[in-house]
Amino acid sequence: MNEVVEPVATGVITGGWPYIIGAYGLTWAGLLAFLTRAVLLGRARPPESP
Amino acid sequence: MTADTSEAPVAALPPPAAAVSCVGLARRFGRRWAFSRVDLEVPAGQRLLVMGANGSGKTTLLKVISTLLAPSLGQLRVCGIDPAEDPAAARRRLHLLSHSLGLYEDLSGEDNLRVFGRLLGKDDLDVDPVLRQVGLERRPDPIRAYSAGMRKRLQLAALLVKGPELTLLDEPFAALDPLGCAAVEGLIAALPGAVIVASHQVVRASRLCERAILMDQGAVRWMGPAEQAVEAWRALHGGDDLQGGG
Amino acid sequence: MGSEGAAADRLLSWDRVSLVIGLLLLIVGHYQGLFVAPAEAMMGDVGRILYVHVPTAWACMLVYTACFVFAGLALWSGKGKWDAAMEASAEVGVLYNALLLIQGSLWARPTWGVFWTWDPRLTTSAIVLVLFVGVLVLRRVITEPERRLNLGSIAAVLAYAGVPIVYFSVKWWRTLHQPFSSPATVSDSFITPLRLAAFGMIFLGIGLIGLRWRALRREVERELSAPALPAALPTLELGQRGPGGAA
Amino acid sequence: MARTPGGPADVLRQIPMILAKDLLIEWRARSRAFALACFALTLLLLFSFAVGADAATLRAHAGAYLWMSVLLSSTLLLAQSLQHEVEGGALDTLTLAPVSPAALFYGKALANAAQLVLLTAVALPPVIALFDAPVKEPLGLLVLVSVLGCAGVAAPGTLYAALTARLASKQLLLPLLLFPLIVPCLLASVKATSLLMSGDPMGQVGSWLGLLLAFDVLYWSLCGLLFGRVIAA
């Protein structure tokens, strides 16, 4: 017995745009969120700097 | 302090290398200097008292001299050896009794001494005479059950097993009752080799030593004969509430 | 990057340049992948996810490798700048790794019918993600800077050293059991958007690491740097004290 | 003295001393070891309750339950083993003895591996009885799997226990860092054990043993090199 669902090849897959948009959208969201955080943290001056 | 002497070395060192010699020794933790600018020379066989309030850098100084902590700045030699070059050789010549037990709670005193002896290369150590010397009888139970005084005696027994040229004692009288203090005092007095004692109990500890230094905020503020130690302490901290009198 | 009145050298620093190049390449690559490249023969449009997924995987591997190198340099030299670089690249590696898992799941669902499959690459990247999250957590927990440098770098080295063995173990775990279906290999006509996006992710990664490095390095080097020695205190003179007074 | 301080001869001389010391401590505090064994057995029961009373499923995963219970118990054992050294400052005494960090690591890792093997041996009969999973292949092979698997947990486990021993959240950090790292070791041990229990007509155990060996070689050498930095920090 194996608990893993075996990947099924169903011939040509049609549609699937929600997944495509999700993949691209979440990737860009993640990258931009990290970038924003990095910029914000980079701007924050340490208290002792002149 | 001899910090102002010119850079030319003194004519010749005495034949036995000094037990400890530090020049410009300093240690920091992150941004904080625990102690700095410590110049110290302890000849072989001499006993030195290190006085200082809590946080004055005594414990860190002892840890650095014992090679457990590396100095951030300055030079250190233990029995003529640079611990940075040959830590094992330096460590073989010294021992540190710190606040912590340094032994295994789950083993009996005897087991602890045997394990320690074996690590020192003394495979067939007879623990009975050592235990007798520190006034501990054989006890089969783990030292988890020992009193503070018995623990201190056991630590001293481990020290006797090692028999180092340089002994570092950090607060040897802490958590002891007057009777225990007297006993430990006697054991320390009988130690061979150089001894450095860090203690708040200035009166009691100064009787054991020949020389003393007073540390304050990580600096050595005073250095002189142990007879003047109490006077120096009072000059810095005032008051007559010195512990360990009588 | 609207940086108000900042010096020119800050505007043109290597991390910003790399960041802009990376973003541009990524935009072009993703545009091509989404709208220009033809649909894939077997997977149809869903194959377009590969233009974001595969570059992320390559870049992620490179970023972790950089993290390993920085950890080694930090251990070897004890310098704060390598420690900061280690943390910066571990952060970016974890980001890419998390994105990778999300993209992988979103690709697997329409293709294989499940969000998660114990594909060796997917499984390995999940394990590596946890490993490096552990490294970052460890670094957050340790407050003493020297200790953080040593222990954090050691954890990173151990984690990275295990990656190949994790991969092989998971692969055998699957293949000794049943043959596993590998995704279709990439054919030539899809290479341009893939390559553009890959370089985009790599340059973006360099830029993000640089950006984080700048901020972390300031902090880490400040913590590790030696402050000036405290001024020498005057030597105490005895014999001049009043009753109970300090000298 | 002719002895070269900290040289390989010194390290080899000290490893058995550290090993003997650790085993002596565990023997003197054997009620703790007993409690640990009980914990491992409790876990075995819990797995069966969680999975359900289906005999076939339980039998198929007997190897998994065995190793999961050893693994979950191992963090307690590893944390304890470094706790002896850190809490009373015994580590300082050892350092000043002087014991080399490599000797300390290999001695402790060997002691931990030995205890884990013992734990596996204690947990094995209940696994066989509870899940009706007799060992079909030679028992010697299972011993080998157990030794290699426990060694694989012990080496990084000892290092990570030392790494987290002085941290405030050590109970959380040790498994967080250790568990993902030893996934290959767990996988190989479980697979090999299951094959030995259900029979191995294809001769696959060898490749799992090879993987375990590679894992052990990698981490026993790497952790030995890095341990000095860990305890110095």
Side-chain angles (χ1 to χ4, degrees):
Chain A
M1 284 298 260
N2 199 299
E3 68 283 4
V4 177
V5 180
E6 180 56 14
V8 275
T10 53
V12 178
I13 300 165
T14 50
W17 278 95
Y19 294 107
I20 301 170
I21 292 164
Y24 279 82
L26 286 175
T27 302
W28 277 94
L31 290 175
L32 292 178
F34 188 90
L35 181 60
T36 313
R37 170 177 169 269
V39 169
L40 289 179
L41 287 177
R43 287 258 175 91
R45 295 272 129 204
E48 56 99 52
S49 105
Chain B
M1 267 193 290
T2 53
D4 302 333
T5 50
S6 63
E7 59 280 328
V10 197
L13 286 168
V20 177
S21 78
C22 341
V23 180
L25 205 64
R27 167 76 200 199
R28 66 187 170 91
F29 293 107
R31 303 275 299 162
R32 188 180 63 80
W33 287 101
F35 66 84
S36 59
R37 303 175 196 274
V38 171
D39 301 310
L40 190 64
E41 181 107 1
V42 183
Q46 196 184 58
R47 284 145 191 275
L48 174 76
L49 167 63
V50 180
M51 302 180 284
N54 288 325
S56 59
K58 294 189 311 267
T59 296
T60 312
L61 177 63
L62 255 60
K63 285 224 164 189
V64 169
I65 293 176
S66 73
T67 76
L68 285 174
L69 284 176
S72 304
L73 279 180
Q75 290 164 352
L76 168 68
R77 276 176 183 278
V78 176
C79 305
I81 300 159
D82 182 356
E85 277 172 22
D86 191 352
R91 285 167 182 172
R92 209 166 281 138
R93 287 170 173 76
L94 62 83
H95 194 68
L96 166 73
L97 287 199
S98 61
H99 312 273
S100 53
L101 179 66
L103 298 167
Y104 296 100
E105 297 265 2
D106 290 321
L107 299 181
S108 69
E110 213 183 313
D111 281 341
N112 263 304
L113 291 186
R114 262 207 203 99
V115 163
F116 188 51
R118 217 167 286 146
L119 286 169
L120 296 171
K122 298 171 181 171
D123 287 340
D124 40 6
L125 175 75
D126 189 4
V127 295
D128 281 334
V130 186
L131 285 175
R132 225 174 298 124
Q133 205 176 338
V134 298
L136 272 181
E137 72 279 33
R138 259 171 183 262
R139 288 242 316 235
D141 49 338
I143 54 179
R144 208 173 278 290
Y146 284 20
S147 68
M150 291 173 69
R151 282 157 180 256
K152 196 55 81 181
R153 282 162 196 251
L154 194 61
Q155 281 183 283
L156 285 161
L159 174 65
L160 293 176
V161 168
K162 185 161 184 179
E165 292 166 45
L166 168 66
T167 304
L168 303 160
L169 302 164
D170 194 2
E171 298 293 351
F173 304 113
L176 293 180
D177 59 13
L179 222 62
C181 281
V184 167
E185 204 179 323
L187 286 165
I188 294 172
L191 286 176
V195 179
I196 300 181
V197 187
S199 182
H200 294 295
Q201 303 214 5
V202 178
V203 176
R204 184 182 290 283
S206 64
R207 287 197 302 246
L208 293 167
C209 298
E210 290 127 36
R211 220 151 58 94
I213 62 172
L214 176 58
M215 293 188 72
D216 179 35
Q217 300 163 50
V220 176
R221 293 294 301 277
W222 175 83
M223 185 183 289
E227 297 85 59
Q228 294 176 9
V230 174
E231 199 184 335
W233 176 276
R234 289 201 175 125
L236 187 64
H237 294 293
D240 293 311
D241 51 341
L242 288 171
Q243 305 157 308
Chain C
M1 313 293 104
S3 85
E4 65 297 322
D9 67 322
R10 271 178 52 79
L11 260 174
L12 280 175
S13 60
W14 58 269
D15 54 333
R16 280 162 194 245
V17 171
S18 176
L19 206 62
V20 172
I21 293 175
L23 283 172
L24 288 177
L25 283 174
L26 207 57
I27 289 170
V28 176
H30 282 181
Y31 173 80
Q32 287 217 348
L34 276 173
F35 304 115
V36 178
E40 211 262 348
M42 287 291 286
M43 290 177 284
D45 286 326
V46 172
R48 298 181 192 281
I49 292 182
L50 293 184
Y51 301 127
V52 63
H53 186 53
V54 175
T56 310
W58 289 342
C60 182
M61 213 174 60
L62 281 178
V63 169
Y64 278 141
T65 307
C67 178
F68 172 70
V69 172
F70 289 141
L73 284 171
L75 273 180
W76 176 66
S77 72
K79 288 209 172 104
K81 61 176 176 181
W82 300 127
D83 187 39
M86 195 281 277
E87 174 157 10
S89 45
E91 276 187 8
V92 176
V94 164
L95 168 76
Y96 277 16
N97 203 337
L99 294 177
L100 191 65
L101 289 183
I102 294 171
Q103 297 155 358
S105 298
L106 289 174
W107 181 74
R109 183 68 179 84
T111 316
W112 291 340
V114 286
F115 277 112
W116 185 261
T117 147
W118 296 99
D119 168 77
R121 271 168 289 194
L122 205 54
T123 313
T124 304
S125 65
I127 294 167
V128 176
L129 175 66
V130 185
L131 277 170
F132 277 88
V133 166
V135 172
L136 288 178
V137 170
L138 181 71
R139 283 189 52 93
R140 294 283 187 288
V141 168
I142 305 173
T143 45
E144 207 205 304
E146 284 96 355
R147 219 158 145 213
R148 191 170 54 211
L149 182 152
N150 276 308
L151 301 186
S153 301
I154 286 172
V157 167
L158 285 182
Y160 186 84
V163 173
I165 222 164
V166 169
Y167 178 76
F168 277 112
S169 68
V170 180
K171 190 172 173 176
W172 286 1
W173 177 51
R174 296 286 291 138
T175 49
L176 287 184
H177 222 260
Q178 60 199 64
F180 86 100
S181 37
S182 74
T185 42
V186 186
S187 84
D188 284 353
S189 57
F190 303 101
I191 269 192
T192 318
L194 210 54
R195 194 171 276 167
L196 282 172
F199 279 111
M201 284 305 273
I202 290 167
F203 276 109
L204 187 61
I206 294 172
L208 289 176
I209 291 175
L211 209 56
R212 285 300 290 136
W213 191 11
R214 215 173 274 283
L216 287 166
R217 187 174 169 177
R218 220 166 35 207
E219 187 61 24
V220 167
E221 285 194 333
R222 190 183 69 84
E223 284 177 341
L224 279 171
S225 66
L229 277 179
L233 294 172
T235 305
L236 205 62
E237 301 296 341
L238 295 185
Q240 57 180 33
R241 75 187 164 98
Chain D
M1 273 195 208
R3 219 167 46 181
T4 53
D10 241 27
V11 172
L12 285 179
R13 191 181 59 87
Q14 287 171 340
I15 289 173
M17 292 178 188
I18 299 290
L19 171 65
K21 170 201 73 100
D22 271 21
L23 293 180
L24 179 68
I25 290 176
E26 293 308 326
W27 175 248
R28 290 280 190 260
R30 50 194 176 274
S31 57
R32 211 164 44 212
F34 179 74
L36 193 72
C38 291
F39 176 68
L41 297 183
T42 311
L43 285 174
L44 285 180
L45 284 179
L46 287 184
F47 287 134
S48 16
F49 293 143
V51 171
D54 178 20
T57 314
L58 287 175
R59 188 184 306 125
H61 297 121
Y65 304 143
L66 172 70
W67 281 100
M68 279 311 286
S69 97
V70 169
L71 189 60
L72 292 176
S73 318
S74 74
T75 51
L76 302 176
L77 188 150
L78 292 163
Q80 185 72 54
S81 123
L82 265 296
Q83 203 59 33
H84 300 315
E85 311 290 351
V86 172
E87 108 192 305
L91 189 58
D92 291 348
T93 311
L94 291 185
T95 307
L96 292 182
V99 173
S100 79
L104 184 59
F105 172 75
Y106 287 112
K108 284 200 93 64
L110 282 174
N112 288 332
Q115 290 175 67
L116 285 173
V117 170
L118 203 66
L119 189 65
T120 322
V122 168
L124 184 64
V127 164
I128 293 175
L130 276 175
F131 308 122
D132 185 27
V135 181
K136 292 201 176 120
E137 302 291 327
L139 199 64
L141 276 176
L142 192 60
V143 174
L144 187 63
V145 169
S146 157
V147 167
L148 289 178
C150 291
V153 177
T158 304
L159 185 100
Y160 276 130
L163 203 148
T164 53
R166 289 177 215 257
L167 302 180
S169 39
K170 52 177 172 282
Q171 292 92 342
L172 178 64
L173 275 173
L174 174 57
L176 176 67
L177 293 170
L178 180 63
F179 285 171
L181 194 78
I182 55 177
V183 163
C185 175
L186 173 74
L187 255 174
S189 306
V190 169
K191 277 289 167 186
T193 308
S194 296
L195 286 169
L196 291 174
M197 283 175 162
S198 64
D200 178 27
M202 314 266 281
Q204 292 175 351
V205 171
S207 44
W208 291 117
L209 283 175
L211 188 80
L212 273 178
L213 200 64
F215 186 87
D216 286 352
V217 168
L218 174 68
Y219 281 105
W220 277 79
S221 47
L222 202 55
C223 294
L225 283 175
L226 293 173
F227 193 72
R229 294 296 287 265
V230 170
I231 56 170

